[in-house]
Amino acid sequence: MNNYITVILMIILSLQSCNNDSYDKIDAKAMVVSAHPLASDVGIAVLKKGGNAADATIAVQFALAVVYPSAGNIGGGGFFVYRSNKGNYSTLDYREKAPLIAYRDMYLDSNNKVIKNSSLYSHKAVGVPGTVDGMVEIHQKYGNLKWEELVQPSIDLAENGFVVTSRESKKLNRFNANHNVSDFYNPYYKDQFKEGDTIKLPDLAQTLKFIRDYKREGFYSGKVAENLITEMKNNEGFITENDLKSYKSIWREPIIGNYKNYKLISMGPPSSGGVLLMQMLKMAEQFPLKKYKFHSKESIHIMTEIERRSFADRAKHFGDPDFYDVPISELLDSSYLQTRANNIDLNIATPSDNIYAGSWNASESDETTHFSIVDQYGNASSVTTTLNGSFGSGIVVKNSGFLLNNEMDDFSIKPGHPNMYGLIGGEANSIIPEKRMLSSMTPTILEKNGQLFMIVGTPGGSTIISAVFQVILNVIEYGMSIEESVNASRFHHQWYPDEIKLEKVISKDSSLIRELQSLNHRLNFVNSMNRVDAILIENHQLFGGADNRGDDHISFF
């Protein structure tokens, strides 16, 4: 596809697409909901050419690496959940890994104290990237169109430039101020971005051309790999040529469970998302949430207590399953979850100091981005991908133009020490060479009566799981449309710190706030949480939910 055709096609698609300011009921054959209008349009262009949901996944992933640099990436990783039109499921783990020379106490000083920001904003914070390998794996297994056709749109965006939105200009300005990026090579640097500015990324375009022409080898070997390794060597980073050559994404068994008459397919470890989501929903089944109504004192209290207990389990029992035997069956055992639910006091909050990870008799960034896709054939993909923090480590590979992640912070850099999202981890998530760090990403697909029903996921660090939990309940229990559910205000509890994080809009209900405080809940108000992108399918119609907290966008045909 030449540049001229690409630009014309995007103009046509932008006239046919629906943004988050309009409506959620769409007479459409196929749909893409992502964090950026241009990425959504790239995905729908691929579907219009006869591509399937897997093809669109690859194209959207690469497009986000260009137009959504805070989280879209080729220098990070993620998780892919897929449901075919025949009802078959698969999940791909293309999460980053610890470098071969990483070691347990690499972020501690001689006094066993955590070295400030060493796991966040240094070259040692970078895990071995998995995105490109993951996209190649998806194409090999499910791809319909040629690989080159899926990468070319992102090359065109990087080479010809793309217009910055108002939100993106503010985000870039914060990034530049926080990282003092004028001191080193960075294609995203400008004294002050404003809405309507155009960014061109020639070095990233060249990197994407290598990936287009040589697939995996275009990133993990050759010029791009040389530039990445040079970046590491010059700055005391840990990633080596052997790390790049040995990286491999893994097809894993999905987490499958039920909530009432709905079937869920989600991501298993090293993501904690699927298991915790199932825990929360199975405990929620024990309570009449519909009777208590949306954002009542009772519903927020019960859901908070459920989240508190699940996150306590996360801290102890989760890690990379290739290194640690995660007790999934025990954590999802109905008797265990019934006991956990029975311990919830409807009249008072349980202090987190009194909540422990479950035990049994046994032989044991805020900155991420999500997109949901349904193609014209009935296949669906739910994909969450990340650099971890906003713009990852803030480090751009010189002459290759892509940002590197800071995923090493998602390990337990010291047992009991919280990561950037306040999450506490233990021995199961300690640093070991080639180990994948624990994640909260929760890309999920739901069925109703055997038919495709919902594709959902979100960014947001530790708040991801609770946001997906609440969006699902908003639709099933409270009768919301997917647009209403995605844009409804949210709350979150993660065991520690012992507080409910709530969006400020909830604070306007002063009587609700007093009622929650009367139950001994501590409250922490924040401006916003999560940007959920979801699709609902009912009566063979597609309903899109693009979060109005961001530039999230629905494209369709």
Side-chain angles (χ1 to χ4, degrees):
M1 180 185 296
N2 62 40
N3 295 351
Y4 176 78
I5 295 174
T6 301
V7 171
I8 294 298
L9 181 57
M10 285 186 173
I11 292 172
I12 294 171
L13 286 168
S14 67
L15 297 174
Q16 294 178 330
S17 63
C18 164
N19 64 31
N20 53 352
D21 294 323
S22 53
Y23 49 87
D24 73 342
K25 184 175 179 180
I26 301 170
D27 184 14
K29 297 177 183 177
M31 186 177 291
V32 178
V33 189
S34 85
H36 198 284
L38 290 173
S40 294
D41 286 350
V42 162
I44 213 70
V46 164
L47 297 181
K48 289 193 77 168
K49 290 178 64 177
N52 57 29
D55 292 318
T57 292
I58 296 162
V60 172
Q61 173 80 65
F62 285 123
L64 286 169
V66 179
V67 301
Y68 197 68
S70 61
N73 69 83
I74 57 174
F79 298 108
F80 167 80
V81 177
Y82 191 74
R83 181 190 184 275
S84 76
N85 53 16
K86 298 185 185 302
N88 299 318
Y89 323 116
S90 59
T91 56
L92 182 68
D93 167 7
Y94 59 99
R95 182 72 160 149
E96 303 90 332
K97 297 172 71 171
L100 286 160
I101 59 173
Y103 56 95
R104 179 191 175 94
D105 298 331
M106 59 187 282
Y107 301 115
L108 306 183
D109 63 18
S110 57
N111 295 317
N112 204 37
K113 302 290 186 182
V114 175
I115 303 168
K116 186 177 179 180
N117 290 334
S118 58
S119 66
L120 288 173
Y121 305 121
S122 74
H123 286 70
K124 291 178 182 176
V126 184
V128 183
T131 294
V132 175
D133 184 85
M135 295 307 101
V136 171
E137 280 289 321
I138 291 168
H139 187 257
Q140 288 175 344
K141 187 163 185 172
Y142 292 115
N144 189 28
L145 298 183
K146 292 181 179 179
W147 173 258
E148 294 82 0
E149 296 179 80
L150 307 179
V151 184
Q152 186 62 45
S154 59
I155 295 171
D156 295 339
L157 286 167
E159 207 160 45
N160 299 333
F162 61 94
V163 176
V164 176
T165 68
S166 175
R167 285 189 177 95
E168 203 66 26
S169 67
K170 294 171 185 174
K171 191 182 291 186
L172 284 162
N173 290 335
R174 286 196 300 271
F175 166 59
N176 289 333
N178 292 340
H179 289 272
N180 194 26
V181 295
S182 60
D183 288 348
F184 60 88
Y185 172 83
N186 194 310
Y188 298 102
Y189 178 71
K190 184 179 178 181
D191 286 334
Q192 196 69 21
F193 279 99
K194 63 182 184 300
E195 180 181 4
D197 284 348
T198 297
I199 296 179
K200 293 184 179 182
L201 303 168
D203 285 345
L204 180 55
Q206 184 57 53
T207 294
L208 290 166
K209 287 177 183 177
F210 283 125
I211 295 169
R212 176 198 63 192
D213 295 343
Y214 303 106
K215 295 187 178 178
R216 187 189 188 285
E217 288 69 26
F219 183 84
Y220 294 93
S221 61
K223 187 63 178 175
V224 176
E226 289 173 13
N227 289 341
L228 197 163
I229 293 165
T230 298
E231 184 73 36
M232 291 289 126
K233 285 180 178 177
N234 291 344
N235 296 279
E236 300 181 341
F238 278 13
I239 295 175
T240 66
E241 181 181 4
N242 288 335
D243 287 305
L244 298 179
K245 285 183 177 179
S246 65
Y247 181 87
K248 191 66 180 169
S249 49
I250 301 175
W251 293 99
R252 298 196 185 273
E253 288 296 314
I255 298 298
I256 298 176
N258 295 286
Y259 176 72
K260 299 185 175 179
N261 63 325
Y262 297 86
K263 186 174 186 177
L264 283 83
I265 305 96
S266 194
M267 195 71 214
S271 174
S272 61
V275 175
L276 262 66
L277 177 63
M278 279 310 311
Q279 280 194 320
M280 291 177 187
L281 288 168
K282 296 305 287 184
M283 283 189 275
E285 274 188 331
Q286 313 304 317
F287 301 94
L289 292 178
K290 187 176 293 186
K291 171 187 170 184
Y292 291 142
K293 299 185 179 177
F294 175 73
H295 280 187
S296 65
K297 173 189 73 173
E298 293 85 359
S299 66
I300 291 180
H301 172 68
I302 289 166
M303 292 163 72
T304 291
E305 293 299 294
I306 288 170
E307 291 171 7
R308 188 196 305 265
R309 284 155 175 78
S310 288
F311 274 96
D313 278 345
R314 183 191 190 276
K316 179 176 180 180
H317 293 303
F318 283 86
D320 183 343
D322 296 334
F323 289 78
Y324 179 80
D325 187 12
V326 181
I328 294 173
S329 59
E330 289 88 347
L331 289 164
L332 295 180
D333 179 76
S334 57
S335 297
Y336 168 66
L337 294 173
Q338 178 75 61
T339 300
R340 295 288 262 181
N342 288 346
N343 287 334
I344 294 174
D345 189 329
L346 298 181
N347 299 307
I348 198 78
T350 309
S352 289
D353 285 347
N354 296 343
I355 296 291
Y356 305 96
S359 60
W360 41 76
N361 294 322
S363 310
E364 192 262 313
S365 145
D366 216 62
E367 265 307 331
T368 301
T369 189
H370 176 86
F371 52 97
S372 297
I373 299 173
V374 175
D375 66 29
Q376 62 272 38
Y377 312 113
N379 306 297
S381 61
S382 182
V383 185
T384 312
T385 180
T386 186
L387 288 166
N388 197 29
S390 185
F391 296 92
S393 61
I395 297 165
V396 175
V397 176
K398 190 172 183 179
N399 299 323
S400 287
F402 63 92
L403 282 148
L404 291 170
N405 67 80
N406 57 355
E407 291 293 359
M408 293 296 287
D409 185 65
D410 271 354
F411 281 117
S412 301
I413 61 177
K414 180 182 179 183
H417 181 83
N419 71 2
M420 69 182 299
Y421 298 107
L423 286 169
I424 294 172
E427 187 61 35
N429 191 38
S430 61
I431 301 171
I432 298 175
E434 292 202 283
K435 186 178 183 181
R436 286 169 162 85
M437 56 291 293
L438 187 57
S439 171
S440 296
M441 290 184 274
T442 316
T444 300
I445 295 174
L446 280 76
E447 292 180 354
K448 181 180 181 181
N449 301 322
Q451 301 298 310
L452 184 63
F453 177 69
M454 186 189 297
I455 303 93
V456 61
T458 181
S462 57
T463 64
I464 289 173
I465 306 166
S466 52
V468 174
F469 172 53
Q470 290 168 39
V471 166
I472 291 171
L473 291 179
N474 288 347
V475 172
I476 295 174
E477 297 297 339
Y478 302 126
M480 293 185 187
S481 71
I482 194 65
E483 183 182 38
E484 291 170 330
S485 178
V486 161
N487 290 299
S489 52
R490 291 189 264 276
F491 57 92
H492 168 75
H493 201 297
Q494 62 185 48
W495 188 41
Y496 284 108
D498 190 353
E499 64 184 23
I500 307 178
K501 186 185 290 186
L502 307 97
E503 291 187 303
K504 281 185 177 177
V505 64
I506 301 176
S507 69
K508 296 176 182 177
D509 189 342
S510 57
S511 62
L512 172 63
I513 298 309
R514 286 193 298 271
E515 288 176 331
L516 291 172
Q517 289 171 333
S518 74
L519 297 176
N520 281 359
H521 286 295
R522 286 185 286 189
L523 310 180
N524 175 20
F525 294 99
V526 297
N527 289 326
S528 68
M529 290 189 292
N530 310 95
R531 294 177 301 282
V532 177
D533 288 326
I535 300 172
L536 190 72
I537 303 94
E538 285 192 298
N539 300 320
H540 305 289
Q541 286 186 300
L542 301 181
F543 299 74
D547 206 307
N548 60 24
R549 295 168 179 82
D551 294 316
D552 302 56
H553 186 86
I554 305 165
S555 294
F556 64 93
F557 76 88

